[in-house]
């Protein structure tokens, strides 16, 4: 795999090589255009200075040589050639002492020789540094009636002064710092990505507790923050899913065991009729509970997945509420509960079937969790923006603590222990109200009763 780190490193090194090449080409062009000519002129001027001195002082072989040796020490390589072609060298020796044809003209015609010009054919300035006799400047002079040629070139070793070493060190240090800095930056950039990849693998294996500690103020920081949020949400969903499955299993298991147990008892030949009736009643009740549980679960699941085909139709909400009351009239009488309602005629647009479920759940809860001889009040009124439906009972009420869990799936309060139910009713109420973009308010005082207020926004069509 081409890791990001490797790609970054290769790109950095590539850029460095390219910049060195470009820098070299520019420096070379500058040398050819400006520096080379200046260097030749400078060297010719120095050579002429030297021969100027030699020409004015009276000739003495010793003095002549020691003067040229002193000049060589100042940083020059010198070749003194007499008209017979004999060469005497001063300073650092040349690597190649071949005498170029061009240079003969110094002795024969008294011309000035500029060796660097011989490198015009070459593109690079490397010629400037070759330690050879033909890479010199030569000037003629006369001494004691004889013509000599003085050929000099700056000794590159001596010319490379302290300032050059400082400069080279400076450039090398910059390059080193840049390379190390780039590698460090690449590491900093890729490390969190590697961590994120590792965390993703853990999530794929359903481990939602992988510690991801990336604290940064940039896009990667934001990404890891979102990742942590996602991880927490997945963890929460996973727990909810597991507890949902265990609740469902338990809620299916207990009625099934009851049915199985009482069915076994029914097999006895000498069973009194009264017991037989009681057992079949229990089996019937448990079978109904299973059926209602399945129906509610199916409804919740389809609401969850957004698979439920919402039907938006306009209907009389007050009539629907009256219908629900009529349906449960027998239970109200059985429990001796007094019900009153104030239902303003209201047209509403929504899914009538789902909303019927809501009212039935709220009404049966108001009956189930009421006290014998208690009462229920149902209210319906609307304004420009919304309709409000309230169910108020004088039942056992709901504790502060239970209020927070009321709409959780399978939540059943203490009061629900002795009543039938699945703990899914209010979850369905919540889902349906949310689908209609509404909200639920619950007011309750333990011991005094509860009030559930559903607010549903009116659609534009109804408002008109
Ligand atoms: P259940 O099938 O238990 O009625 P719900 O989801 O309808 O399930 O209600 C969840 C729990 O909320 C109930 O078990 C009960 O403890 C509490 N609850 C719901 N409605 C009322 C109410 N009107 N008065 C008191 N407690 C209520």
């Amino acid at each position: 795999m081409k890791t990001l780190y490797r790609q970054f490193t290769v790109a950095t090194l590539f850029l460095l090589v390219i910049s060195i090449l470009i820098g070299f080409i520019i420096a070379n062009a500058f040398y050819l255009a400006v520096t080379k000519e200046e260097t030749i002129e400078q060297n010719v001027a120095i050579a002429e200075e030297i021969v100027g001195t030699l020409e004015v002082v009276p000739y003495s072989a010793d003095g002549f040589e020691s003067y040229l040796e002193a000049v060589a020490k100042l940083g020059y390589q010198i070749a003194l050639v007499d008209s017979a072609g004999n060469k005497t060298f001063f300073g650092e020796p040349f690597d190649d002492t071949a005498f170029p044809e061009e240079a003969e003209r110094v002795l024969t015609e008294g011309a000035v020789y500029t060796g660097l010009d011989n490198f015009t054919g070459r593109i690079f300035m490397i010629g400037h540094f070759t330690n050879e006799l033909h890479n010199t400047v030569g000037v003629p002079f006369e001494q004691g009636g004889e013509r000599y040629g003085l050929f000099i070139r700056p000794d590159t070793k001596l010319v490379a002064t302290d300032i050059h070493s400082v400069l080279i060190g400076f450039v090398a240090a910059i390059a080193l710092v840049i390379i190390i800095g780039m590698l460090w930056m690449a590491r900093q950039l890729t490390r969190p990505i590697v961590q994120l990849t590792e965390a993703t693998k853990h999530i794929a294996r359903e481990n939602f507790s992988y510690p991801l500690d990336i604290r940064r103020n940039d896009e990667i920081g934001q990404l890891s923050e979102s990742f942590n949020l996602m991880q927490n949400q997945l963890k929460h969903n996973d727990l909810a899913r597991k507890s949902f499955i265990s609740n469902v299993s338990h809620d299916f298991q207990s009625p099934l065991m009851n049915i199985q147990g009482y069915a076994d008892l029914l097999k006895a030949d000498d069973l009194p009729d009264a017991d037989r009736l009681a057992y079949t009643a229990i089996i019937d009740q448990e079978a109904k509970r299973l059926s209602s549980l399945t129906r509610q679960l199916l409804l919740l699941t389809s609401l969850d997945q957004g698979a439920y085909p919402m039907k938006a139709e306009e209907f009389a909400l007050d009539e629907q509420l009256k219908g629900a009351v009529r349906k449960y009239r027998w239970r109200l009488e059985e429990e001796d509960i007094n019900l009153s309602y104030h239902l303003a005629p209201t047209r509403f647009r929504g899914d009538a079937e789902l909303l019927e479920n809501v009212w039935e759940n709220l009404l049966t809860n108001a009956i189930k969790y009421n006290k014998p001889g208690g009462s229920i009040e149902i209210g319906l009124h609307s304004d420009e923006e919304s309709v409000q439906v309230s169910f108020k009972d004088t039942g056992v009420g709901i504790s502060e603590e239970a209020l927070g869990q009321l709409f959780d799936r399978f939540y059943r309060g203490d009061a629900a222990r002795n009543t039938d139910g699945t703990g899914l009713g209010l979850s369905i109420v919540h889902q349906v109200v949310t689908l209609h973009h509404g909200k639920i308010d619950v007011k309750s005082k333990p011991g005094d009763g509860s009030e559930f207020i559903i607010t549903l926004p009116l659609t534009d069509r109804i408002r008109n």
Side-chain angles (χ1 to χ4, degrees):
M1 189 181 75
K2 270 189 182 173
T3 61
L4 261 183
Y5 181 69
R6 203 188 309 163
Q7 287 183 47
F8 202 86
T9 312
V10 169
T12 308
L13 293 177
F14 180 72
L15 275 178
L16 202 76
V17 170
I18 290 285
S19 54
I20 288 174
L21 271 178
I22 293 177
F24 182 74
I25 289 169
I26 292 175
N28 193 62
F30 185 76
Y31 167 79
L32 290 178
V34 182
T35 321
K36 189 173 122 180
E37 215 42 55
E38 278 179 4
T39 313
I40 292 174
E41 277 170 24
Q42 212 176 5
N43 288 344
V44 170
I46 288 167
E48 275 169 353
E49 284 270 330
I50 298 169
V51 297
T53 312
L54 290 175
E55 273 172 341
V56 290
V57 290
Y59 179 75
S60 115
D62 281 350
F64 207 78
E65 286 190 3
S66 56
Y67 171 67
L68 286 178
E69 257 160 28
V71 173
K73 278 190 186 133
L74 287 176
Y76 288 92
Q77 290 168 272
I78 302 171
L80 183 70
V81 185
D82 64 17
S83 44
N86 300 317
K87 299 170 204 142
T88 323
F89 297 101
F90 302 90
E92 270 299 301
F94 289 97
D95 290 342
D96 180 358
T97 53
F99 198 53
E101 232 171 80
E102 188 91 2
E104 303 274 356
R105 289 177 55 227
V106 176
L107 296 161
T108 53
E109 296 169 26
V112 172
Y113 169 74
T114 52
L116 263 185
D117 279 338
N118 296 341
F119 297 108
T120 40
R122 299 203 192 161
I123 317 162
F124 297 119
M125 55 183 167
I126 305 298
H128 183 91
F129 302 102
T130 51
N131 178 21
E132 294 165 5
L133 184 55
H134 66 103
N135 185 19
T136 52
V137 295
V139 290
F141 72 98
E142 288 195 4
Q143 185 66 259
E146 199 181 337
R147 180 171 275 170
Y148 291 91
L150 182 83
F151 296 85
I152 66 162
R153 71 177 290 270
D155 184 343
T156 341
K157 273 188 210 145
L158 284 177
V159 168
T161 51
D162 293 349
I163 191 80
H164 286 105
S165 341
V166 170
L167 265 177
I168 290 168
F170 181 65
V171 172
I174 288 179
L176 197 73
V177 169
I178 287 178
I179 292 176
I180 293 175
M182 288 292 214
L183 292 181
W184 180 79
M185 251 185 72
R187 193 41 87 228
Q188 290 300 102
L189 274 177
T190 49
R191 201 173 25 204
I193 296 175
V194 172
Q195 270 176 282
L196 275 165
T197 313
E198 191 56 29
T200 321
K201 284 185 194 152
H202 278 264
I203 282 188
R205 278 183 242 124
E206 296 209 356
N207 168 16
F208 304 113
S209 306
Y210 185 80
L212 190 65
D213 189 23
I214 301 174
R215 282 159 220 244
R216 295 169 65 124
N217 261 338
D218 53 13
E219 286 84 349
I220 291 182
Q222 284 173 356
L223 177 65
S224 78
E225 231 170 73
S226 310
F227 191 91
N228 276 333
L229 274 178
M230 182 190 79
Q231 185 166 248
N232 285 340
Q233 189 57 44
L234 285 173
K235 192 170 167 180
H236 175 84
N237 290 354
D238 187 53
L239 282 176
R241 182 174 57 95
K242 284 181 180 144
S243 91
F244 183 77
I245 291 171
S246 92
N247 280 325
V248 170
S249 322
H250 174 263
D251 277 53
F252 271 89
Q253 198 57 33
S254 46
L256 278 175
M257 271 169 62
N258 282 344
I259 291 173
Q260 201 181 16
Y262 285 106
D264 273 347
L265 288 177
L266 279 176
K267 285 182 198 153
D269 293 332
D270 53 348
L271 196 67
D273 276 354
D275 285 354
R276 192 181 306 279
L277 277 179
Y279 296 165
T280 39
I282 293 173
I283 291 176
D284 182 53
Q285 189 191 332
E286 292 295 69
K288 279 189 183 132
R289 193 171 143 202
L290 271 180
S291 140
S292 130
L293 189 66
T294 321
R295 232 179 320 110
Q296 283 184 316
L297 267 178
L298 276 174
L299 179 60
L300 253 185
T301 319
S302 60
L303 287 177
D304 259 359
Q305 295 168 344
Y308 189 88
M310 276 268 287
K311 288 177 253 128
E313 55 192 311
E314 201 178 312
F315 61 94
L317 196 51
D318 49 316
E319 288 304 325
Q320 189 180 52
L321 283 160
K322 281 180 203 161
V325 173
R326 266 198 300 279
K327 201 165 167 185
Y328 289 92
R329 182 65 71 189
W330 63 275
R331 261 191 94 173
L332 290 163
E333 279 166 15
E334 203 175 75
E335 308 274 338
D336 190 21
I337 292 168
N338 178 38
L339 185 139
S340 60
Y341 51 67
H342 306 279
L343 307 173
T346 308
R347 306 279 308 159
F348 184 76
R349 189 175 166 76
D351 192 314
E353 213 177 305
L354 285 183
L355 286 168
E356 197 176 327
N357 240 298
V358 171
W359 318 136
E360 284 186 15
N361 268 309
L362 293 176
L363 181 60
T364 48
N365 279 353
I367 299 171
K368 273 195 294 186
Y369 306 113
N370 221 315
K371 291 174 191 156
S375 64
I376 298 174
E377 268 175 49
I378 306 178
L380 165 65
H381 60 267
S382 60
D383 55 26
E384 274 292 290
E385 297 296 316
S386 58
V387 294
Q388 274 200 349
V389 185
S390 59
F391 285 76
K392 189 173 180 184
D393 64 56
T394 53
V396 291
I398 302 159
S399 68
E400 189 78 22
E401 190 200 345
L403 276 177
Q405 310 171 59
L406 220 52
F407 301 103
D408 288 355
R409 274 157 211 204
F410 294 105
Y411 172 75
R412 303 204 72 206
D414 292 338
R417 292 268 152 78
N418 303 319
T419 62
D420 59 330
T422 56
L424 291 175
L426 285 183
S427 315
I428 293 176
V429 169
H430 184 262
Q431 285 279 41
V432 174
V433 172
T434 309
L435 273 176
H436 284 85
H437 308 290
K439 61 169 183 145
I440 310 170
D441 292 300
V442 187
K443 293 182 195 161
S444 184
K445 217 172 172 197
D448 275 1
S450 324
E451 185 176 11
F452 285 75
I453 305 158
I454 312 286
T455 309
L456 299 171
L458 284 170
T459 59
D460 287 340
R461 223 187 112 199
I462 296 289
R463 241 173 262 157
N464 289 337

